[in-house]
Amino acid sequence: MDFKELLKQAKIGNDPAIAEIMNMYRPLLIKNSIINGSYDEDLFQELSITLLKCIRQFRV
């Protein structure tokens, strides 16, 4: 399944599609959750929530 179709499925609430997108972006979320060399779990959660909001609001 291409990314556009995956995003459409995630947007309508398909849990496996959402999980796949979250897994795709997990390394980026982790990278951006490191502050001064220390992993911040709260920041990771906030970034994950922001990604979920973006999925819901994205216009294909």
Side-chain angles (χ1 to χ4, degrees):
M1 175 181 322
D2 68 342
F3 186 75
K4 188 175 180 179
E5 184 60 33
L6 186 64
L7 188 55
K8 285 180 183 179
Q9 291 296 313
K11 189 172 170 70
I12 63 171
N14 182 323
D15 288 338
I18 293 169
E20 189 169 341
I21 291 175
M22 293 297 290
N23 286 333
M24 290 170 68
Y25 284 94
R26 184 176 173 83
L28 182 64
L29 296 176
I30 291 171
K31 177 183 172 187
N32 285 295
S33 297
I34 298 174
I35 305 293
N36 296 328
S38 179
Y39 175 72
D40 186 338
E41 188 173 332
D42 291 333
L43 181 54
F44 177 80
Q45 290 176 351
E46 290 296 323
L47 292 171
S48 297
I49 290 167
T50 301
L51 178 57
L52 290 171
K53 287 179 183 177
C54 289
I55 289 170
R56 280 189 234 122
Q57 295 175 357
F58 192 79
R59 293 185 189 151
V60 180

